[in-house]
Amino acid sequence: MTPTLRARVTAELVGTALLVATVVGSGVMATRLTDDVALQLLANSLATGAVLVALIVSLQPVSAAFNPVVTLAEVVLRLVTPKAAGALVAAQVVGGALGAVIANLMFDLDAVSIATRERTGSGLWLGEVVATLGLLLVVFGCARAGRTDAIAWAVAGWIVAAYWFTSSTSFANPAVTIARTLSDSFAGISPTSVPMFVLMQVVGGGLAVALLRLLHPTPSPLEAPLD
């Protein structure tokens, strides 16, 4: 039975909220437990990878993109219609913001505190291209290889690794990037740094779709419009 658009929107909102709550909350917890930046990043990356496995496994039968770039790629690959994608992206952005607020409140911080951490420069922008390109190749490569059951583990593995090997620590998600402006904490990003991050994420997504068509030229049976 095909999930309704309402169910898919709900899954995207809740899933993105819990993802961002984990990213922000684990960052706050890590900085409270240790002053070692490497340990802080390790805690943040492991928590993010773990929650991705849990959320994708549980919500994948309904909708588990949690990422506007993934959803836009699904439009290009005829997995969702533009109309449905608009609703899903809106849910992701709203869910991400809600997750940041929840994380702040859990740690007795202001519900919204605009991040002041500047993340800018060509190296970080290239890092976002690489992080997003790899993420989409993993997601859609698994799908076209008939390994949808492996997507959760593959995505988590990529994100944990990309936290460490990309200069930007792998945001790779416009909804998460926007949400992280709402917490002036370890995971925060200044609003002025967001436009280039999002642009580079879109560039990475576009490159990933082009590579996907070269590496996996046969579409999966799912690649037809839904509703």
Side-chain angles (χ1 to χ4, degrees):
M1 182 175 170
T2 302
T4 64
L5 180 57
R6 178 180 296 180
R8 287 152 59 199
V9 166
T10 302
E12 291 295 332
L13 189 148
V14 172
T16 311
L18 292 175
L19 171 59
V20 172
T22 301
V23 172
V24 174
S26 64
V28 175
M29 177 68 83
T31 56
R32 291 187 178 183
L33 294 176
T34 179
D35 293 326
D36 188 319
V37 178
L39 286 178
Q40 292 170 358
L41 185 61
L42 179 62
N44 200 207
S45 64
L46 292 178
T48 302
V51 83
L52 280 168
V53 172
L55 291 174
I56 294 173
V57 167
S58 59
L59 296 177
Q60 191 175 24
V62 183
S63 186
F66 317 138
N67 187 331
V69 176
V70 173
T71 300
L72 290 175
E74 289 177 328
V75 173
V76 174
L77 297 173
R78 297 175 63 81
L79 290 163
V80 298
T81 63
K83 181 179 178 180
L88 296 172
V89 168
Q92 291 158 359
V93 173
V94 172
L98 183 61
V101 170
I102 290 171
N104 287 336
L105 293 175
M106 283 195 296
F107 287 92
D108 294 324
L109 303 173
D110 292 338
V112 173
S113 57
I114 301 301
T116 56
R117 184 172 180 179
E118 296 286 341
R119 299 177 188 260
T120 188
S122 58
L124 271 67
W125 298 335
L126 178 59
E128 280 302 288
V129 173
V130 172
T132 312
L133 184 155
L135 174 61
L136 267 68
L137 278 184
V138 165
V139 171
F140 295 108
C142 284
R144 287 199 169 183
R147 293 297 310 277
T148 55
D149 59 314
I151 289 176
W153 300 97
V155 166
W158 173 261
I159 290 298
V160 171
Y163 258 77
W164 287 91
F165 86 84
T166 65
S167 55
S168 63
T169 66
S170 184
F171 282 50
N173 185 328
V176 171
T177 303
I178 292 168
R180 287 168 68 165
T181 66
L182 304 178
S183 181
D184 193 16
S185 60
F186 179 80
I189 177 172
S190 168
T192 60
S193 300
V194 168
M196 282 301 294
F197 261 56
V198 171
L199 177 60
M200 294 301 105
Q201 290 158 5
V202 172
V203 169
L207 292 174
V209 171
L211 274 174
L212 180 72
R213 286 172 165 166
L214 176 65
L215 299 173
H216 295 278
T218 304
S220 79
L222 296 176
E223 288 176 34
L226 295 176
D227 54 28

